[in-house]
Structures are given as C-alpha cells and as structure tokens.
Amino acid sequence: MKQICVVGVGYVGLVTGACFADLGNKVVALDVDRKRIENLNNGIMPIYEPGLDELVRRNVAAGRLAFTDSYAEALKGAEFVFIAVGTPSGVNGEADLQYVAAAARSIAENMAGPLVIINKSTVPIGTGDWVADIVHGAQTREIPFSVVSCPEFLREGSAIADFTNPHRTVIGSLHHEAAEKVAQLHLPLRAPIVITDLRTAEMIKYASNAFLATKISFMNELADLCDCVGADVKEVAAGMGYDARIGRHFLDAGLGWGGSCFPKDVKALAYMAKDKGLAPRILDSVTLVNYERRADVVQRLSEMLGGLEGKTIGLLGLAFKPNTDDMREAPSIDVVQHLLRAGAHVHAFDPVAMDVAQPLLPDVHMFKDPYDMAAGCNGLVVVTEWNEFKQLDLDQLKKALKEPVIFDARNIYDPQLMREKGFKYRAIGRGSPVA
Ligand SMILES: NC(=O)c1ccc[n+]([C@@H]2O[C@H](COP(=O)([O-])OP(=O)(O)OC[C@H]3O[C@@H](n4cnc5c(N)ncnc54)[C@H](O)[C@@H]3O)[C@@H](O)[C@H]2O)c1
C-alpha cells in the first residue's frame, strides 16, 4: 500500500485516483474546483465514464479514496503526487502550462516530506525540468523530491479498462531510484514498462497521439479518392489492418478526430517543431485534412438536399466519440455552425452528451428520443458512432423523416441495405458519391 496524491480530478485524475485506490493504495484526490470536490464528496460524478461511478463509490466506502481542495491535507503522508491538470491549447497552438505551473507551486509550498512528483498531464518536451525548477524555487524549506514523467494513454469511454490494462507504461526520469519507485507502483498492471529519460517520455506521448491522428487523417484523404474511383474505404481499412506493420486500429474514415487530446497535442507538437525552426509539414496537413472534413460533410449534405436554407437537419450524436459526454473539440460543434450558417434548423439527439452540449449549442433543439428528433427532418447526419445508433429501426426512422436522406459521416450503416430501405444515403469513401 502506497500513499498517493492526485492533483486534478478530471478525466485522467479521477480515473487514476480511483484505479490506484482499487489496487489497494490510499489515494487523496485534489482539485481547485471546490464545487467538483463537494459533489464528489456527495457521490456526484463530474464526468460520464462507464464504470467510474461504481469504482469511486466502492473505494470511497473502503476508505482508500478521498477528495479535498486542500493541498496540505492531500500531501500529508504522500510518497507520490500525480499532476493530472489540463494542458489546453494556447493562442498559437502551444500547450498552455499555467495549470501545471500552479500545481507545481502549490505542491512545493505544501509538501511535508520527500516526494516523487509524477507528471501525468501531456506536457511539452522539457516541462519535467521546468517543473523541477518551479518546485525548487517555491519550496519554503529544502525537501528532497524527484520529477518523473509518466504520460497517460487512456481513452475516454474505455478509461478504466485502458488504465488497468495499458499497452505499456512509460516512465521518464533522470533519477533512477524515483523511476524504479514509479515502476513498482505500476507493476500490478502487468504491462511492459519503458524506462527512459524525462524528455523522451514526454515525446513518446506526443508522438503516439500525433501518429494515431495521422492514421485517421490519412484514411480520410484516401476516402475521398475511394469515392472517386469506386472503392470502399471500410473494406480497404479492413484489408490493410490485417498487416501487422499497419495494425487495424485508427483506420476509420469519417468525420475525423476531436476531443481534448488529439487536436491540442498535434498542434502543440507542430508548434514545438516550428519553435525550433523546423517545418512540420505532415503534422500541419494532418490537422488541415481533419478540420476540412467538417465543412465538407455539410457541403455534401447540401448537394443531396439541393441546398440547406430553411431545411431541418437532425444530428445523431454530439459527443466527440461514443461512451463519453465530452464535447471538447467535438466535430458536432463545427457541423452545427456550418449548418446554421447555411440557414438550416438543427435537431440533435445524443445518449449522454446533451446536457453538456446544450449550453455550447444554444440554437440546437435537443430531443430525448432519436425518432422524435428525426420527425419532420429533411435529412439526418450520423455524427457520433454510438452503438445504439447501429441498430435503429430504419423503417421507423424513415417514416419520421420528411425526406429519407441520411449522411452517414461515421460509416455505421450498410450502403446496400440503406438503398434497399429506400434511403437517399451517402457515407464517407464508400465508393458511391451520390445515391
Ligand atoms: N482526457 C483524456 O482522455 C486524456 C488522456 C490522456 C492524457 N490526457 C492529458 O491529461 C491531462 C488532464 O486531462 P483531463 O482531460 O483529465 O483534464 P480535465 O480538464 O478533465 O481535468 C483537469 C482538472 O484539473 C483541475 N485543476 C486545474 N488546475 C489545478 C490546480 N492548480 N490544482 C488542482 N487542480 C487543478 C481542474 O479543475 C480540472 O478538474 C491533460 O494534459 C491531457 O492532455 C488526457
């Protein structure tokens, strides 16, 4: 049993805290957002993540997990502190490190004994050294500490499974003893452990996210060509994916990536390259291809409907991906803006993200049921590939629609079946420009 403090109770911090507590450690999770802590102490989760509610409840009840807004309380007796605060994009695409800096200062001011400070946030290369400087500078008396990078690779929507069964654990530090301690902490996860230096660990995280985003943008570029030459990008992806050198994941063409990580991480990596006088041509294109897709889908829908002015369009899904209510950088936001600008009215249904989405999309009419949402619509767009959309009653959907038009921007339906059912159906890269 180790005593652990987690700073930042967001997606990463809450999952990290709950999972380490579940492994038998004593965890105190801290956040500067008092409301969030108050809610957690009353059993109210700040985010939707499958299984998290139960995991938190169980570990709080067992006395292994607690929440506070006091650094002094959270650090009392702690041997490890994880920094898991946000690192959003700054104005020029750089990572905004203000929350990491504030956390490092607060840790320095409140630490009571030797600490291993572990950076779980995704931070630019060199941040670990910078955090060490901040802690040195802010300590009121000298207490030994080490900084270790241990980037997080979990995916929202499957965060608990990803945390407990990681593909690998990456640990970066210049202090061998600290790296070993962090490795010991992760041993129960039984994943390969890569121990390296701080900067290399920080780069592994950015490189991994940027590479996955590149795979998706590559497939999206290819999808347009598939449309032109009559090939099916889904089958192409399946055929490619059997090749172990390529792998079958992240080959789905569609509306592209969003969320709290890929957009900011690709931009931050490109920013770092430009800052060093390099030209990140691939990274810039990866972002460009991704964002163009959002306007493109609306343009293609407009072609199907002969214009969008005065038309009502229904969106199936709003969250940036299934199994989450996270709306950060969700493609739906841009799709809605393009639709509204073209003069359309927008309806939407999402199984969990509507409460989070409504304030961001005040002009969208949200419905509690997908069929009610489709009623009177001139066309539907599949925006998020929620499982429950895959087997909707297509006849009921068709009956509800004013015109049987579906733009499947996540390629979840079978084009053949959709045509047999009488839909005017279009998808991404499935070999048939307009049905
Ligand atoms: N969300 C993901 O899927 C994911 C996956 C891997 C890595 N990451 C990285 O992990 C980091 C955290 O991401 P997230 O999505 O969990 O962020 P988040 O926005 O959900 O949570 C961050 C939390 O930190 C708190 N916070 C901010 N400043 C603080 C301070 N000084 N002291 C204490 N708490 C403070 C905020 O109130 C918030 O609750 C980011 O760097 C992100 O890139 C995220």
Side-chain angles (χ1 to χ4, degrees), residues 6-45:
V6 177
V7 175
V9 191
Y11 283 88
V12 169
L14 189 52
V15 171
T16 300
C19 288
F20 271 122
D22 209 46
L23 290 171
N25 298 291
K26 193 163 186 318
V27 178
V28 182
L30 167 143
D31 206 290
V32 286
D33 183 339
R34 291 213 170 124
K35 187 72 196 156
R36 189 165 273 220
I37 293 299
E38 193 187 309
N39 281 342
L40 278 162
N41 281 326
N42 290 319
I44 302 167
M45 292 297 115

Side-chain angles (χ1 to χ4, degrees), residues 7-14 30-33 36 47 71 83-88 98-104 106 120-123 151-156 205 209 260-261 264-265 320-321 326 328:
V7 175
V9 191
Y11 283 88
V12 169
L14 189 52
L30 167 143
D31 206 290
V32 286
D33 183 339
R36 189 165 273 220
I47 50 169
Y71 270 92
I83 298 180
V85 299
T87 49
Q98 61 169 309
Y99 306 108
V100 174
S106 301
K120 232 184 199 326
S121 298
T122 304
V123 289
E152 182 51 62
F153 297 94
L154 63 77
R155 295 162 299 172
E156 288 172 21
K205 172 64 192 176
N209 272 5
S260 68
C261 291
K264 76 173 176 60
D265 292 348
F320 88 92
K321 68 171 180 177
D326 199 340
R328 289 180 284 185

Side-chain angles (χ1 to χ4, degrees), residues 174-186:
L174 297 175
H175 302 104
H176 182 71
E177 200 187 324
E180 280 298 325
K181 278 187 183 175
V182 178
Q184 288 291 334
L185 200 58
H186 287 83

Side-chain angles (χ1 to χ4, degrees), residues 65-364:
L65 178 62
F67 301 100
T68 180
D69 61 2
S70 157
Y71 270 92
E73 198 182 305
L75 287 168
K76 206 166 156 206
E79 188 182 344
F80 300 94
V81 54
F82 283 93
I83 298 180
V85 299
T87 49
S89 269
V91 278
N92 297 314
E94 77 282 12
D96 178 351
L97 292 176
Q98 61 169 309
Y99 306 108
V100 174
R105 267 194 300 276
S106 301
I107 290 168
E109 286 161 5
N110 290 282
M111 61 195 280
L115 261 185
V116 180
I117 301 171
I118 307 164
N119 223 336
K120 232 184 199 326
S121 298
T122 304
V123 289
I125 292 85
T127 302
D129 300 324
W130 180 72
V131 163
D133 289 344
I134 292 176
V135 175
H136 268 303
Q139 277 187 331
T140 43
R141 66 194 164 92
E142 206 170 308
I143 305 173
F145 72 91
S146 321
V147 176
V148 175
S149 166
C150 182
E152 182 51 62
F153 297 94
L154 63 77
R155 295 162 299 172
E156 288 172 21
S158 53
I160 294 169
D162 288 349
F163 187 93
T164 45
N165 298 294
H167 293 128
R168 76 307 207 183
T169 301
V170 174
I171 296 171
S173 182
L174 297 175
H175 302 104
H176 182 71
E177 200 187 324
E180 280 298 325
K181 278 187 183 175
V182 178
Q184 288 291 334
L185 200 58
H186 287 83
L187 274 188
L189 302 179
R190 307 180 72 85
I193 294 180
V194 178
I195 296 188
T196 180
D197 61 86
L198 256 177
R199 287 170 184 238
T200 304
E202 290 165 346
M203 181 56 104
I204 289 171
K205 172 64 192 176
Y206 275 107
S208 301
N209 272 5
F211 188 71
L212 294 173
T214 304
K215 284 180 88 173
I216 296 172
S217 284
F218 175 83
M219 292 310 289
N220 270 329
E221 189 162 291
L222 209 69
D224 291 345
L225 184 55
C226 284
D227 266 338
C228 293
V229 299
D232 183 338
V233 76
K234 249 186 127 145
E235 306 269 325
V236 172
M240 290 166 67
Y242 286 113
D243 187 328
R245 294 169 302 175
I246 296 171
R248 62 189 166 81
H249 300 291
F250 289 78
L251 292 180
D252 294 321
L255 198 42
W257 36 270
S260 68
C261 291
F262 283 8
K264 76 173 176 60
D265 292 348
V266 176
K267 277 187 213 146
L269 193 58
Y271 179 89
M272 282 180 252
K274 285 173 194 160
D275 193 47
K276 297 292 176 203
L278 303 172
R281 288 184 290 269
I282 293 177
L283 294 174
D284 283 346
S285 303
V286 165
T287 296
L288 188 71
V289 168
N290 189 60
Y291 284 89
E292 277 179 356
R293 175 62 84 212
R294 299 171 183 191
D296 212 47
V297 161
V298 175
Q299 176 57 33
R300 293 186 205 186
L301 180 70
S302 176
E303 284 162 19
M304 289 174 85
L305 285 166
L308 291 167
E309 181 76 46
K311 305 271 168 70
T312 301
I313 304 304
L315 304 186
L316 281 168
L318 291 167
F320 88 92
K321 68 171 180 177
N323 299 322
T324 182
D325 62 354
D326 199 340
M327 284 294 295
R328 289 180 284 185
E329 289 267 3
S332 62
I333 297 173
D334 282 347
V335 169
V336 167
Q337 301 312 338
H338 290 303
L339 287 169
L340 293 175
R341 235 175 276 143
H345 308 286
V346 184
H347 289 186
F349 167 78
D350 187 286
V352 302
M354 291 194 293
D355 288 346
V356 181
Q358 186 70 85
L360 302 170
L361 303 169
D363 297 322
V364 174

